[in-house]
Amino acid sequence: MSFYQISLLLFIGICAGFLSGMVGIGGGIVIVPMLVYFLGFDQHTAQGTTLFMFLFPIGILGVMNYYNKGNVDMKTAAVICTTFVVGSYFGSKLSLSIDKSTVTKVFGFIFLIISLKMIFGK
């Protein structure tokens, strides 16, 4: 791995971590596109690499800050976490069975819809 690649990965990690702590986003919205466009990853590899990060407690310090201020709903998080595991399994199976360019378009479309809703919605 070159110095350039390591520098980009450090930058991506800091940006994703900062945005995750600040507004609750990071993984799919920041890391996947950066891996694709700055490091030349294909969509499947970028998604798999990002999901691998979630195996480790990457957000523990951010979660501690929110928890200490009373801003974590443990019941909601537990339900979402449980179903996220199931959804992640089936979503990854489906994604890997579809052409990479189609997955990239689906990713972009979802990103666009969410962006428009957040910008223009109530």
Side-chain angles (χ1 to χ4, degrees):
M1 198 174 290
S2 72
F3 177 76
Y4 174 76
Q5 289 172 317
I6 292 171
S7 298
L8 271 175
L9 292 173
L10 292 172
F11 176 74
I12 291 169
I14 287 172
C15 287
F18 180 80
L19 288 171
S20 178
M22 189 171 98
V23 293
I25 63 168
I29 290 179
V30 174
I31 297 171
V32 171
M34 290 180 109
L35 290 175
V36 169
Y37 294 113
F38 294 133
L39 289 170
F41 281 47
D42 65 57
Q43 188 73 25
H44 287 142
T45 304
Q47 289 172 188
T49 301
T50 302
L51 283 173
F52 178 77
M53 290 176 28
F54 294 130
L55 290 175
F56 304 103
I58 59 173
I60 191 69
L61 297 177
V63 170
M64 285 173 36
N65 286 330
Y66 281 97
Y67 180 81
N68 289 337
K69 294 289 185 178
N71 293 312
V72 174
D73 184 327
M74 298 294 280
K75 290 178 185 174
T76 299
V79 171
I80 293 172
C81 182
T82 303
T83 55
F84 185 92
V85 170
V86 175
S88 175
Y89 175 78
F90 289 108
S92 64
K93 294 288 267 186
L94 176 62
S95 175
L96 292 169
S97 70
I98 299 172
D99 179 70
K100 294 173 189 176
S101 65
T102 302
V103 176
T104 300
K105 288 175 183 156
V106 169
F107 181 91
F109 180 75
I110 291 169
F111 202 160
L112 176 65
I113 296 301
I114 291 169
S115 298
L116 293 172
K117 175 69 175 162
M118 292 183 81
I119 292 168
F120 299 111
K122 293 181 181 181

